[in-house]
Amino acid sequence: MIGPEVYGETAFRSFFGTNTTGLEGLVTARLEGTESDGPQIRVKLGAGGGLDDHFGTPEWRLVAGIEVFDHSTDRDGDGVLDRRTLVRASRA
């Protein structure tokens, strides 16, 4: 997945003031597994810069992230993950 992201920041002292609010934009790419169940990994890379020269806006920024997450579910609420229930049922 590739797409734009926009971030803004403002000072507590003067919310959304003309000299205290900055805006930046990034173009990011995200790659993740396509399995419907079980552990997954997601990698995100992005680059961008300030869209104006006000408070808190960086000249440029690089972003990198790695996430590990689990799509495992327990739809029937018995405390056993669905994928383990399916394995046990197929062995029986």
Side-chain angles (χ1 to χ4, degrees):
M1 179 181 302
I2 297 175
E5 295 184 24
V6 177
Y7 297 95
E9 59 275 326
T10 190
F12 284 117
R13 189 178 307 171
S14 176
F15 279 113
F16 304 113
T18 56
N19 292 326
T20 59
T21 301
L23 190 64
E24 67 179 282
L26 296 172
V27 174
T28 60
R30 186 176 73 194
L31 178 66
E32 62 184 67
T34 58
E35 295 291 324
S36 61
D37 200 20
Q40 299 287 316
I41 197 164
R42 179 182 297 143
V43 178
K44 179 179 179 179
L45 299 171
L51 300 176
D52 59 21
D53 59 354
H54 296 307
F55 172 81
T57 305
E59 287 186 35
W60 57 273
R61 181 184 309 260
L62 296 175
V63 177
I66 298 174
E67 296 177 65
V68 177
F69 58 98
D70 196 344
H71 277 293
S72 299
T73 57
D74 179 19
R75 291 181 211 132
D76 58 3
D78 65 356
V80 179
L81 298 176
D82 292 345
R83 66 184 171 153
R84 292 189 180 174
T85 303
L86 293 174
V87 170
R88 288 181 185 163
S90 66
R91 290 182 184 172

